Amino acid sequence: MKSFYGKVIKRLLDVVFAALLLVALSPVFAVLALLVAAKLGRPAIFRQKRPGRGGRIFGIYKFRTMTDARDANGELLPDADRLTSFGKALRKTSLDELPELLNILKGDMSFIGPRPLLIKYLPRYSPEQARRHEVRPGLTGFAQVNGRNAISWARKFEYDVWYVDHLSFGLDARIIGMTIRAVLKREGISQAGSATMDEFTGN
């Protein structure tokens, strides 16, 4: 992120558009919060710790898409058993990720960048893969518009690092356009044979 765009303009655009969207979409937020609470339980918005730029831990906000259904031992059921049709609809339309606008406004995230993954993955990255944390994580990213969860972890990380090395206004604008198309087509929402994406176990 040595360019003026990467250092200054990108963050300025994030703040301006996140603030505008939060205001414009406030009625949508309210309706979704009520529906999620009624259909999936409370809290409607949950906060989960994720690593951000430089590996710094922050709390990411999302609408819940799963119930808290548990087995006889009190353990959470597998994702596939807790993911309802309503939750699937939220994921297909990416509406579950709207609360991340708050993270963008706070500076935890950007509109465009590698997706923030689980903290437990940090020691599993190769040095090259860990470079994905040289920029703020994004609401969408280059890997998201090139297969999302339908591609392998290795390919996903290759796309993430490629984005870090080629970050520019033109690339970000292109990714936004591709994201709109991917959301409308509902592509790559889950990995084949999985409700979401298999765990990354390392290289």
Side-chain angles (χ1 to χ4, degrees):
M1 285 184 52
K2 296 181 180 179
S3 67
F4 183 70
Y5 169 75
K7 290 181 178 179
V8 179
I9 302 300
K10 183 177 173 69
R11 177 60 189 150
L12 179 62
L13 292 175
D14 282 341
V15 171
V16 171
F17 284 103
L20 290 174
L21 286 172
L22 281 169
V23 173
L25 296 176
S26 55
V28 177
F29 269 76
V31 171
L32 283 176
L34 291 172
L35 288 173
V36 171
K39 292 179 175 291
L40 301 176
R42 297 177 182 274
I45 296 178
F46 71 93
R47 184 174 180 270
Q48 187 178 55
K49 292 183 178 180
R50 297 289 177 92
R53 184 180 179 187
R56 182 180 65 84
I57 307 302
F58 71 97
I60 189 174
Y61 301 106
K62 298 187 74 172
F63 280 120
R64 70 156 63 210
T65 57
M66 298 184 187
T67 67
D68 286 329
R70 298 174 183 271
D71 61 21
N73 297 318
E75 299 292 329
L76 285 172
L77 295 176
D79 289 356
D81 295 328
R82 295 188 294 120
L83 185 60
T84 67
S85 58
F86 178 68
K88 290 178 181 178
L90 288 178
R91 291 191 175 195
K92 286 180 179 179
T93 55
S94 295
L95 289 173
D96 61 314
E97 296 176 1
L98 281 181
E100 291 170 38
L101 290 171
L102 295 169
N103 291 117
I104 296 174
L105 194 62
K106 289 172 58 181
D108 299 324
M109 295 176 61
S110 174
F111 276 101
I112 312 297
R115 285 294 295 162
L117 301 177
L118 301 179
I119 295 176
K120 66 181 180 181
Y121 291 174
L122 287 174
R124 303 176 186 178
Y125 297 134
S126 68
E128 179 69 6
Q129 291 170 344
R131 294 188 56 228
R132 68 193 307 277
H133 292 292
E134 291 179 11
V135 298
R136 286 186 179 89
L139 184 65
T140 185
F142 194 62
Q144 296 300 105
V145 297
N146 282 284
R148 198 172 176 179
N149 290 331
I151 58 177
S152 68
W153 282 112
R155 180 58 59 87
K156 185 189 297 284
F157 297 145
E158 287 176 8
Y159 285 142
D160 288 342
V161 174
W162 187 91
Y163 173 80
V164 171
D165 290 335
H166 295 83
L167 190 155
S168 67
F169 175 77
L171 178 58
D172 279 359
R174 174 186 166 199
I175 291 173
I176 289 175
M178 294 174 70
T179 297
I180 294 172
R181 183 179 66 183
V183 169
L184 292 176
K185 289 186 175 182
R186 302 179 180 182
E187 297 173 334
I189 296 166
S190 61
Q191 191 176 48
S194 175
T196 52
M197 180 81 177
D198 289 340
E199 180 177 339
F200 172 61
T201 56
N203 298 281

